[in-house]
Amino acid sequence: KLNMIKRRLDECNYTTGYKNGKLWFLDSIERQVYKRGSLSIKQRKALNKMYTQFTKKIEKNKKLEKKIEKMKKNLDFNENML
């Protein structure tokens, strides 16, 4: 699941500083899993929250891209009418 969250983070187009902070947290979680074999409830909740946040951001970006494409098509159509 950690790798899935990392992939989602990469797809979100966040700033480099934000990504680095989240990756640091995810790497520390991964180290703890290898060391202790478990996570606390708070850590699991944080991971679930990150996954939800990144999924929403990806969906928002997709909707925005579709809207931009639609606007571009409308502009091209209007320019051809002139």
Side-chain angles (χ1 to χ4, degrees):
K1 190 165 185 174
L2 286 171
N3 288 331
M4 194 166 50
I5 294 173
K6 286 180 183 180
R7 282 194 304 271
R8 291 227 177 249
L9 173 61
D10 195 45
E11 293 175 32
C12 286
N13 299 325
Y14 284 120
T15 62
T16 305
Y18 185 84
K19 277 185 186 180
N20 288 340
K22 295 298 179 180
L23 284 173
W24 181 86
F25 174 75
L26 292 170
D27 288 341
S28 71
I29 294 288
E30 192 171 14
R31 283 191 301 272
Q32 180 177 338
V33 168
Y34 285 127
K35 248 189 233 180
R36 297 184 184 168
S38 65
L39 295 174
S40 70
I41 293 172
K42 283 185 178 182
Q43 288 170 323
R44 283 182 270 169
K45 284 183 179 181
L47 290 173
N48 287 334
K49 188 175 176 182
M50 288 173 74
Y51 179 82
T52 303
Q53 175 189 344
F54 298 159
T55 302
K56 285 181 182 179
K57 177 76 171 177
I58 291 167
E59 291 302 316
K60 184 178 175 183
N61 286 346
K62 285 180 182 177
K63 287 180 184 178
L64 185 61
E65 286 174 9
K66 286 181 183 178
K67 190 174 183 179
I68 290 171
E69 282 298 316
K70 187 176 180 181
M71 289 174 70
K72 283 182 181 179
K73 286 180 183 178
N74 287 341
L75 283 175
D76 289 342
F77 178 76
N78 290 337
E79 286 177 0
N80 289 336
M81 294 295 285
L82 298 175

